[in-house]
Amino acid sequence: MSDARADDAGGAGDAGGAIAAGGAVAAGRAAAADTPAAAPRPTLAAVARRAGVSPSTASLAFNDSGPVAGATRDRILAAARELGYDGPDPRARSLRRGRSGIIGVVLEESLRDAFRDPMNVVMLDGIADVTGPSGNSLLLLTETAASRASLVEAPIDAVVLFGCSPSVDSKVEIVQRRGIPVVSIEGRPLPGVLDIALDNREATRALAEHLRTLGHERVALVTLELDRDRRRGILTGPRIDAATSFTALERVRGAQEVYPDVSGFATLGSTIEEGRIAGHALLADARARPTAVIAQSDLLAAGVIRAAVELGLEVPRDLSVVGFDGVRIDDPAAAGLTTMVQPALDKGRAAGRGVLELLAGGSPQPVSFTSAFRRGSTTAPPRQPRP
Amino acid sequence: MSDARADDAGGAGDAGGAIAAGGAVAAGRAAAADTPAAAPRPTLAAVARRAGVSPSTASLAFNDSGPVAGATRDRILAAARELGYDGPDPRARSLRRGRSGIIGVVLEESLRDAFRDPMNVVMLDGIADVTGPSGNSLLLLTETAASRASLVEAPIDAVVLFGCSPSVDSKVEIVQRRGIPVVSIEGRPLPGVLDIALDNREATRALAEHLRTLGHERVALVTLELDRDRRRGILTGPRIDAATSFTALERVRGAQEVYPDVSGFATLGSTIEEGRIAGHALLADARARPTAVIAQSDLLAAGVIRAAVELGLEVPRDLSVVGFDGVRIDDPAAAGLTTMVQPALDKGRAAGRGVLELLAGGSPQPVSFTSAFRRGSTTAPPRQPRP
DNA sequence: CTGAAAGCGCTTACAG
DNA sequence: CTGAAAGCGCTTACAG
């Protein structure tokens, strides 16, 4: 079981070589090595001057924000065309208006890790869905040291936290003190932060109860990343106590409500390969083998099933497996997974709506989403011991 | 073969219900429905006043950008603490400095579609890798009507185009006229735009030659999305002529260099499911069946292989399949794929470096990456007809 | 319908 | 080491 990162998508490193092709020269900056602002671009004031109007009127013309005579407008637009002016400078506008049209999205991990989880992508899409039409764009911020600075220094109007750990709390405080609204998806509830929650604990309990009803006694957990440590391994009490990932922890708790002494394996995140590694760790020893596995995501579940198959086990005859998310997985082994279907897109949309309401000065209520049990064909009663 | 979107990750829609939980109230804005800027946050000027220094000195203290006596600095910092001032307003700073620290990333499709392709995620990560350390963050912009506006109205210092179609050209022109550097990854070369290229045509030709050498005569293509039409279907001449996706088109051309009359199937994008659909379309009719398929991505290739298996064909005995990208695919069917490995992370990094150099006033040269042939176990000589 | 005035909050030469 | 001055480019009440 390698300790290296499981998936090296792109596997570039040693792949192709880069060749600096000769010829073309870069973006319209001839030889202005010492002039930071290359060509002195025209300003609204210049356009107004040329059109023979005041800057105020020119501004109105460009923003449709007041009554301007047709002829005047034409003159202004013509002047702009002649000068090569394409509209107000966003930086000045955002200072003046107090709004930048940018919403920061704080992800716990690297972009690559975050987007490997389809749930995150779908949620992001949901946020963009709702906030895009009013002219907002999303700024990607990760929890690394460098972008911590950006969280405080970026001109953002609002922030959405993606299941972030407490380590961002201090930065979030600063952001809040600045009057920037904060929305958190599946995070540990924070004061003054609009919470978009998922019933992780209850949903997992439902899965556990399903297994209990089927008669399973020896159940193991395969968890998402528990903390920033990036360590795989047996799920121990201390490990759980030290966990910083609220979502993973809630799901552990839900399982414990049915199986108080449940053990298992902690992975590095939601991928099939991680699930496979966990599966081998849990299933290798035939004598200590669980009869059912609660995986904290569908991808992990798919990996566990693959490991089971590799070990010659049949699902669900020899092993029951449940997942979480309800994502359509491109893996035959995971077809028909018993799982909880969570409304990821709706979660993203709710977060987006929350942002918009907060920005409008409203006081939106926290929202709580529930997952739906979907019984598939990966769970069955345990086989009688030594038939 | 359904015409609906192949993958509905999150499958939310009908999944869980939202319940507005009572209780908590949103981010520190009590009852300021009419005051856009809720709490009047302290400014640098206020801090300076309280500390008994000039704004200039206070600014220097906060930016470490000049010599400030230790005692003075302490006084300023203390005043800031008392007032709850956490640093300069990013909007004002960016107007004054002419830099926002934001790099726009323009994606051709919805976020969800774009991030379904692991290559895009890895490239994004590469850009962030290189640009993040100097305090830059990435702003996600898609080609939809709404965010076209953002491309022009967002306070971005530079733009990276992700294989964008000509439809963005006009907006890009405006951006360029503003003096904003533009870098394009695998795009149709545009004047004044720094080009980060991949040898799509040559790489595909190499794959085609590999098949030709093996003896294949009846070869079919499975392409990426050719245009914004979102239509699947047989790859026809007119369809190719109307294509707007430079990458897909270059890969078609590379295949044509070896198989001038090559036909095939156009998909909606790089997913296993799309490949599967294409595979069924191409392989269903045993009499018209190709002996080899050139899929324009590994994911598509995996889908084709799955379709082949479903039709009772054996790869590579009955059908050879090649992919593109060199991504590690979590699908047993695609293990050992013959493909071209492209350096996606390096492409992203090169784009990031290009942005940084352009921002520094330099004139970076275009960069051209090459893919590496990786022979797997999915290609073999064609079976003799009717043995 | 148009203009003069003020100011968003900061940073940067430039003097001292 | 510190301060006075100017200005980044725009928008918004407010008069007219």
Side-chain angles (χ1 to χ4, degrees):
Chain A
M1 189 179 323
S2 158
D3 201 34
R5 294 309 313 282
D7 183 333
D8 187 16
D14 48 6
I19 295 161
V25 165
R29 23 183 72 213
D34 50 343
T35 338
R41 305 180 290 101
T43 67
L44 222 211
V47 172
R49 216 175 303 123
R50 175 176 255 263
V53 301
S54 74
S56 336
T57 304
S59 175
L60 296 183
F62 273 102
N63 290 291
D64 281 331
S65 51
V68 178
T72 311
R73 161 175 280 111
D74 291 347
R75 211 142 29 88
I76 295 170
L77 264 26
R81 217 170 301 116
E82 290 160 25
L83 257 33
Y85 179 83
D86 298 293
D89 180 321
R91 281 178 287 251
R93 188 209 288 259
S94 83
L95 171 57
R96 178 60 231 231
R97 289 206 173 144
R99 283 287 168 83
S100 63
I102 296 180
I103 298 167
V105 173
V106 181
L107 302 163
E108 196 158 4
E109 338 150 72
S110 75
L111 299 182
R112 198 199 288 212
D113 289 337
F115 292 150
R116 190 171 302 170
D117 184 343
M119 294 298 107
N120 283 338
V121 173
V122 172
M123 283 192 280
L124 202 71
D125 209 39
I127 299 175
D129 256 15
V130 170
T131 59
S134 35
N136 296 287
S137 313
L138 305 181
L139 188 71
L140 260 22
L141 301 168
T142 50
E143 277 194 43
T144 65
S147 37
R148 295 266 200 113
S150 333
L151 177 53
V152 172
E153 293 183 5
I156 45 181
D157 296 340
V159 170
V160 179
L161 268 26
F162 265 55
C164 284
S165 66
S167 70
V168 279
D169 286 8
S170 61
K171 298 292 164 187
V172 165
E173 244 179 66
I174 295 183
V175 163
Q176 283 187 297
R177 203 149 41 197
R178 287 209 160 143
I180 296 179
V182 180
V183 175
S184 168
I185 302 180
E186 276 185 75
R188 196 183 308 278
L190 249 34
V193 170
L194 178 62
D195 192 33
I196 308 294
L198 183 65
D199 61 341
N200 286 303
R201 188 190 287 229
E202 297 72 18
T204 304
R205 178 158 48 76
L207 288 168
E209 269 162 6
H210 168 64
L211 294 173
R212 160 81 83 197
T213 302
L214 289 173
H216 290 275
E217 297 295 336
R218 300 222 311 282
V219 174
L221 238 41
V222 172
T223 79
L224 297 167
E225 197 180 2
L226 286 174
D227 47 49
R228 202 61 37 70
D229 283 4
R230 312 239 77 183
R231 279 187 306 114
R232 292 198 192 93
I234 297 302
L235 190 66
T236 61
R239 190 79 201 269
I240 293 176
D241 294 340
T244 54
S245 163
F246 186 62
T247 298
L249 202 50
E250 282 289 286
R251 295 185 188 174
V252 169
R253 296 260 162 73
Q256 287 176 328
E257 288 181 13
V258 177
Y259 297 104
D261 301 320
V262 67
S263 174
F265 192 90
T267 73
L268 298 186
S270 182
T271 67
I272 293 180
E273 184 56 18
E274 283 293 320
R276 194 174 143 271
I277 292 169
H280 275 286
L282 293 170
L283 304 172
D285 182 354
R287 291 174 319 243
R289 198 174 275 166
T291 62
V293 169
I294 298 176
Q296 292 193 336
S297 83
D298 290 349
L299 280 105
L300 289 173
V304 170
I305 291 173
R306 191 179 297 175
V309 170
E310 288 166 0
L311 291 167
L313 302 177
E314 202 178 289
V315 174
R317 199 196 55 173
D318 304 313
L319 181 76
S320 285
V321 179
V322 300
F324 204 114
D325 288 342
V327 62
R328 151 83 131 278
I329 296 181
D330 272 330
D331 191 297
L337 197 61
T338 295
T339 191
M340 297 296 303
V341 183
Q342 67 148 305
L345 189 61
D346 290 339
K347 266 163 56 192
R349 289 194 174 131
R353 267 193 305 277
V355 164
L356 256 25
E357 287 181 47
L358 252 10
L359 249 18
S363 300
Q365 294 301 304
V367 181
S368 187
F369 286 95
T370 56
S371 314
F373 180 73
R374 183 169 74 196
R375 172 145 199 192
S377 51
T378 58
T379 45
R383 222 167 25 140
Q384 293 315 312
R386 319 203 162 281
Chain B
M1 190 180 320
S2 158
D3 202 34
R5 292 309 315 281
D7 184 332
D8 187 16
D14 47 7
I19 294 161
V25 166
R29 25 183 70 214
D34 49 342
T35 337
R41 305 181 289 102
T43 67
L44 222 211
V47 172
R49 214 176 305 123
R50 175 175 255 262
V53 300
S54 74
S56 337
T57 304
S59 174
L60 297 183
F62 272 101
N63 291 291
D64 281 330
S65 49
V68 178
T72 312
R73 160 176 282 110
D74 290 348
R75 210 142 30 88
I76 295 170
L77 265 25
R81 214 170 304 116
E82 289 161 25
L83 257 32
Y85 179 83
D86 297 292
D89 181 321
R91 282 178 287 251
R93 189 209 289 255
S94 84
L95 171 59
R96 178 60 231 232
R97 289 206 174 144
R99 284 285 169 84
S100 63
I102 295 179
I103 298 167
V105 173
V106 180
L107 302 164
E108 196 158 7
E109 338 150 74
S110 73
L111 299 182
R112 199 200 288 213
D113 290 336
F115 293 149
R116 190 171 303 170
D117 184 343
M119 294 298 107
N120 282 339
V121 172
V122 172
M123 284 192 279
L124 202 71
D125 210 38
I127 298 174
D129 257 14
V130 170
T131 59
S134 35
N136 295 287
S137 313
L138 304 182
L139 187 70
L140 259 22
L141 301 167
T142 51
E143 277 195 42
T144 66
S147 34
R148 296 262 200 113
S150 334
L151 178 52
V152 173
E153 293 183 5
I156 45 182
D157 296 340
V159 170
V160 179
L161 267 26
F162 265 55
C164 283
S165 66
S167 70
V168 280
D169 286 8
S170 61
K171 297 293 163 187
V172 166
E173 245 178 65
I174 296 183
V175 163
Q176 283 187 297
R177 202 150 42 198
R178 287 208 160 145
I180 296 179
V182 180
V183 175
S184 167
I185 301 180
E186 276 185 74
R188 196 182 309 279
L190 248 35
V193 170
L194 179 62
D195 194 33
I196 308 294
L198 184 65
D199 61 341
N200 286 304
R201 189 190 285 230
E202 297 71 19
T204 304
R205 177 157 49 74
L207 289 168
E209 269 161 7
H210 168 64
L211 294 173
R212 161 79 84 195
T213 301
L214 289 173
H216 290 275
E217 296 296 337
R218 301 221 312 282
V219 173
L221 240 41
V222 172
T223 78
L224 297 166
E225 196 179 4
L226 287 174
D227 48 48
R228 203 61 38 70
D229 284 4
R230 312 240 74 181
R231 280 187 306 113
R232 293 199 192 93
I234 298 300
L235 190 65
T236 61
R239 191 79 201 272
I240 293 175
D241 294 339
T244 54
S245 163
F246 187 62
T247 298
L249 202 48
E250 283 288 288
R251 294 186 189 175
V252 169
R253 298 259 161 73
Q256 287 176 328
E257 287 180 15
V258 177
Y259 296 104
D261 300 321
V262 67
S263 175
F265 192 90
T267 73
L268 298 187
S270 184
T271 67
I272 293 181
E273 183 57 17
E274 283 293 319
R276 195 175 144 269
I277 292 169
H280 276 286
L282 293 170
L283 305 173
D285 182 354
R287 291 174 320 242
R289 198 175 276 166
T291 62
V293 169
I294 299 175
Q296 291 192 338
S297 82
D298 290 350
L299 259 34
L300 289 172
V304 169
I305 291 173
R306 191 179 298 176
V309 170
E310 288 167 359
L311 290 167
L313 302 177
E314 203 178 288
V315 175
R317 198 195 57 173
D318 304 314
L319 181 76
S320 285
V321 179
V322 301
F324 204 115
D325 287 342
V327 61
R328 151 82 132 282
I329 297 182
D330 272 329
D331 192 299
L337 197 61
T338 296
T339 192
M340 297 296 304
V341 183
Q342 67 147 307
L345 189 61
D346 290 339
K347 268 163 54 192
R349 289 194 174 131
R353 268 193 305 276
V355 163
L356 257 24
E357 287 181 45
L358 253 9
L359 249 20
S363 302
Q365 293 301 304
V367 181
S368 186
F369 286 94
T370 55
S371 313
F373 180 73
R374 183 169 74 197
R375 173 144 197 192
S377 51
T378 58
T379 45
R383 229 180 6 153
Q384 293 314 311
R386 319 203 164 280

